[in-house]
Amino acid sequence: MPPVFRRFGGFAVAGLSGFVVDASLTEALAAFGVSPYLGRIFAVAVAIAVTYTINRNFTWKERRAPVPGRRARYLAVSLISIAANYLVFAAALALLPGLRPLLAVAAGTGVGMVMNFVGYSRFVFKTGEDQAA
């Protein structure tokens, strides 16, 4: 299988796992009376840790050698895409009163997914970087 297909498959598994964590925590916290806007911030933090672990150990496993700054770059790319993701999430909730947080999370996730794949592959798990370490 070409590496790009395996990589995209791993990215999809990481993304789905992150989505499940994010959406589940956001929904659960909302059910306990926490604002979905606030609950989502906590849920995203947990989801980033989950996706980093999966992406490092599966998606880009051939590029997993310890590289200085990799975690910081991962977090930076994640935060940029999460900002766009969160804006779509918040807009969906604001524009569609009564919308379940799960559906707003899904809308934001679609935007963040593309940004993450490009950012992770170009800035975090760069080709050849592991060999130089």
Side-chain angles (χ1 to χ4, degrees):
M1 172 183 340
V4 71
F5 292 125
R6 185 197 51 75
R7 213 171 281 123
F8 188 76
F11 179 76
V13 167
L16 180 60
S17 300
F19 173 76
V20 167
V21 168
D22 183 2
S24 298
L25 282 174
T26 302
E27 279 280 324
L29 291 169
F32 283 107
V34 176
S35 161
Y37 298 100
L38 181 60
R40 180 89 197 280
I41 293 168
F42 173 74
V44 163
V46 175
I48 287 172
V50 168
T51 60
Y52 175 79
T53 301
I54 295 169
N55 279 322
R56 181 177 185 274
N57 293 308
F58 182 69
T59 308
W60 285 281
K61 68 181 178 182
E62 72 279 0
R63 302 179 193 171
R64 65 178 247 163
V67 174
R70 178 171 280 164
R71 285 188 182 109
R73 289 193 315 261
Y74 190 92
L75 183 60
V77 168
S78 294
L79 290 174
I80 291 166
S81 70
I82 282 298
N85 180 326
Y86 192 86
L87 287 173
V88 171
F89 163 80
L93 287 179
L95 295 172
L96 301 167
L99 182 69
R100 288 191 56 188
L102 169 71
L103 297 175
V105 170
T109 298
V111 171
M113 179 180 70
V114 173
M115 294 175 72
N116 280 335
F117 187 78
V118 171
Y120 295 158
S121 63
R122 295 226 164 52
F123 302 113
V124 179
F125 299 100
K126 299 185 281 189
T127 304
E129 186 178 53
D130 294 316
Q131 289 75 29

